[in-house]
Amino acid sequence: MTHAADLPVWAALLTGFFLILGSTLTLLGSVGLLRFRSFYERIHAPTLGTTWGTGGVLIASMIFHSVLQSKPVLHEILIALFVTVTTPVSLMLLARAALYRDRSEGNDGVPPFEAAAESRNERRRSSNT
Amino acid sequence: MSGVIIAWSVTIAQLLLLAAMACALLRLVRGPRAQDRILSSDALYVGAMLLLLTFGIRAGSTVYFEAALVVALLGFVSTAALAKFLMRGEVIE
Amino acid sequence: MSALVPYPLLTASLLMMWVLLNGLSVGQVVLGGIIALAASLAMAALQPVKPRIRRWDMIPPLALIVLADILRSNIAVAGIILQGRRHARTSGFVMIPLELRDRTALAVLACIITSTPGTAWVEYHAGNGMLRIHVLDLIDQQAWIELIKRRYERRLMEIFE
């Protein structure tokens, strides 16, 4: 850890703050993953880690390397962009797969397939009368 | 002074991330269903990626960045493929 | 111009990615520019539906709103997780009738809703425009419908339609 000693104190404090913020949020997300009772509640938990959890650690890494090399090191933005775009896609795929499986097995607490069309008809009926 | 701050905060962050990965691993073992396991394996990938970045800060080099990028990529592809598999029962249609 | 660079946004972001990965120098910018141009020409050969963006100036305010919302709901969900089981909480599905039809705008809305902790996009019926989302802390269904429609859908419609 000799190289870090050259770092100004403000940069070290900022890096430490964002590091601990990010990793705490990631830990909270994982605790939620463990604690929530149903799958549809659990799907909310990892987004903590993938939004500001990842964001915090990436900002810390950017500050640290930029100050250490005294030039902007911004390639962490690529990971941030990648994670922001891909997490919703994989979570949506998972939610749809879970819904499909629950429906095909007839489990409780799952909205039926035709509910969408029904509620629309209801709205149309109520607007007609 | 700043060396001490960085050393301590990196150590704390790594311990927190390890705890996060342990929680995800516990959910992976417990299940109860396949979608829960896939969700927690995705959380494990994110934890591993962040852990690599903290290693990069500890070592003061940017070589860990490429590894983190590859882990993030693999995590997305495997989660998407497994979710697709759950939906249809086949990975490639 | 559009015949030479069929997808200016894609070309620019590929070039930016190349420079970020390889460092900023004249040689890398030229090489990255050639590769980005070749990739965008290859993309044009696939002939995907081209997204039309009407109002560029509306994008930064929307991005700021989304970032602030993500931060706020991060804190809210962290609070829910820390409170544990002492706090009575109901979660459930909400149906939202959407007027948005543009496919790119729907994809952006899906990313916004799913990446905000506390709400998740579950399914969308393209036929009648009904969207089903799952909300972690569901108190008032109507309030969520109003929120999504007023906060995001109206802005996305201004940008894309």
Side-chain angles (χ1 to χ4, degrees), chain A residues 7-20 60 63-64, chain B residues 1-3 5-6 9:
Chain A
L7 218 63
V9 175
W10 62 266
L13 282 175
L14 266 181
T15 307
F17 170 73
F18 279 113
L19 258 181
I20 289 174
I63 293 172
F64 180 81
Chain B
M1 176 64 189
S2 46
I5 295 170
I6 291 287
S9 53

Side-chain angles (χ1 to χ4, degrees), chain C residues 87-113:
Chain C
H87 176 69
R89 169 180 53 82
T90 50
S91 62
F93 295 94
V94 180
M95 298 286 304
I96 299 173
L98 286 184
E99 288 149 45
L100 200 64
R101 284 293 181 278
D102 188 83
R103 291 169 79 182
T104 322
L106 282 171
V108 175
L109 185 65
C111 280
I112 292 173
I113 289 179

Side-chain angles (χ1 to χ4, degrees), chain A residues 35 41 44 48 52 103 111, chain C residues 74 81 91 123 128 132 134:
Chain A
R35 250 189 182 173
E41 286 184 13
H44 297 290
L48 275 182
W52 276 92
R103 273 179 188 153
Chain C
N74 256 303
I81 292 169
S91 62
E123 61 177 353
N128 51 20
R132 195 193 303 275
H134 187 266

